[in-house]
Amino acid sequence: MAIASFVTPVLLAGGAGTRLWPLSRKSYPKQFANILGDHTLFQQAALRFWGREPGFARPLIVTGSDFRFVVTEQLAQAGVDPGAILIEPEPRNTAPAVLAAALYLQSQDPEAVLLITPSDHAIPDGAAFCRAVARGLPAVRAGKIVTFGIAPDRPETGYGYLELGAAPDSSGAAVDLRRFVEKPDAARAGEMLASGNYLWNAGIFLARAADLVAAFRDHAPDCVAPVAASLDGAQPDLGFLRLDPESFAAAPSISVDYAVMEKAPNLAVVPYADGWSDLGGWDAVWREQGPDAQGTACQGAAEAIDCRDSLLRAESEGQVLVGIGLDNIIAIAMPDAVLVAPKDRAQDVKMAVDLLKQRGAPQAETLPRDYRPWGWYETLVLGPRFQVKRIVVHPGAALSLQSHHHRSEHWIVVEGTARVTVDDEVRLVTENQSIYVPLGAVHRMENPGKVPMVLIEVQTGPYLGEDDIIRYEDVYSRGQGAKG
């Protein structure tokens, strides 16, 4: 059996953004946030394989429509050129996403090999993980689907496990997988740790596209026809490939583990012991961030006075967080929300999100900073008939040509230069200059310069919702009522 010269990383970039609330939210899941290091988790995942041996092709990204421009912006910032970006019309869990990637790459190369990986995990030693991928290739050559098992260092109840079919040898080569094990209770986790025959399930898979597709045909045939049809009906859209919505919606919403991996007989495991975390809660972030001698980790303008075994993070400019005498506490401060909880209750953060959703609080799912294809904005002040925003526009970017039914706007440029259209007038507005946009006027702002353009926008009117928009032209092909 031949094998492709290159392995294509498939980065899954969806998610609900609840486990690391309030930093991560539905509108901006954790993979796009700077949680550890100078790059976001998504950028770290892309850079992990970029230019590495045993020979990685350009990555394939599978993401949702809401995140497509964040994905392209962060890849550009990291200097990574994707091979393709598939857009899921709606979330259907991981099985349809994995199958779409496998079918797409198989159509490009019948011998394509995929490395399917979430984009929100922490793997500190990228080179070591790439060597583990190389150790899995002989099993792939033999027709196996390879997963990666993390050597456990504690009786963890938050992870699923892999039971090995044979003891690993010193080479680190793949061994047969006996079965998947659901998340255990504390007693069972301790027993599995002591036995030495169980690894944590990292949810990362290496296989030929043809073998993955065959596994879906054997074990999840109800996925195959709708996902294949969604690819057949896919439409190019500004460099993305948008899967057909109607066909994709017919696919079952199920994880790839349940749909295929727990049933397939041809699975093998590569043991990996060089550091990994799915960052599934703030306790995991505390662990990966590297607590000091007192067990305390701080991020941003956070200070710990006589604190132990705690995590303090101040996530915004101009914000100071001080903890005094804290023990086993998580404290995360955002401009619009603050989380304080015992560290051993980190997995209960979802309860806070559910409660806020029931109350209709926007903090449950949306960040105060709203990212758009042209840049971002954040609300500074919101009143009954007025709103003040800071708007940042990337060099060369432009908002849509638009008008509003219910509000007028006043723009003050504080950094850079704006090219502003108001009805038939087009003019440049530089720092410390302003312009008024009357109610109903057709207008647009652009950044013609080489540096980001920053302006303060003051909106006044009886209705200030983002859906009060008539769009006439838009380089990003968004419909009426879309934001920005």
Side-chain angles (χ1 to χ4, degrees), residues 149-152 161-164 178-181 188-189 191-201:
I150 310 303
Y161 285 71
L162 306 170
E163 183 179 3
L164 304 181
R178 177 171 295 166
R179 66 187 179 105
F180 287 77
V181 180
R188 180 62 181 143
E191 293 171 0
M192 289 192 290
L193 178 64
S195 77
N197 199 42
Y198 295 84
L199 303 175
W200 291 335
N201 178 14

Side-chain angles (χ1 to χ4, degrees), residues 367-430:
L367 284 170
R369 180 171 292 185
D370 206 333
Y371 291 85
R372 293 284 163 251
W374 42 261
W376 56 266
Y377 71 83
E378 61 185 348
T379 297
L380 304 177
V381 181
L382 177 61
R385 290 180 60 91
F386 74 94
Q387 181 171 208
V388 182
K389 292 181 177 179
R390 174 166 59 165
I391 299 176
V392 177
V393 183
H394 298 315
L399 278 69
S400 61
L401 187 67
Q402 59 187 258
S403 66
H404 309 293
H405 288 299
H406 301 292
R407 69 175 184 257
S408 58
E409 298 172 343
H410 193 156
W411 297 340
I412 306 99
V413 176
V414 295
E415 291 182 32
T417 299
R419 180 188 293 123
V420 175
T421 300
V422 179
D423 289 330
D424 296 328
E425 180 186 6
V426 180
R427 56 176 285 197
L428 293 179
V429 182
T430 59

Side-chain angles (χ1 to χ4, degrees), residues 109-183:
D109 176 5
E111 297 299 326
V113 175
L114 290 67
L115 177 68
I116 299 156
T117 175
S119 60
D120 58 358
H121 290 184
I123 302 178
D125 192 339
F129 187 76
C130 290
R131 290 194 294 271
V133 172
R135 294 197 298 272
L137 287 174
V140 171
R141 190 173 293 115
K144 298 281 190 179
I145 297 173
V146 173
T147 187
F148 295 82
I150 310 303
D153 57 9
R154 61 188 184 276
E156 176 62 57
T157 61
Y159 297 149
Y161 285 71
L162 306 170
E163 183 179 3
L164 304 181
D169 61 28
S170 59
S171 72
V175 299
D176 286 344
L177 171 66
R178 177 171 295 166
R179 66 187 179 105
F180 287 77
V181 180
E182 294 292 336
K183 296 177 182 178

Side-chain angles (χ1 to χ4, degrees), residues 355-373:
L355 176 64
L356 292 174
K357 286 171 66 175
Q358 292 171 14
R359 295 182 176 178
Q363 291 92 334
E365 297 186 330
T366 59
L367 284 170
R369 180 171 292 185
D370 206 333
Y371 291 85
R372 293 284 163 251

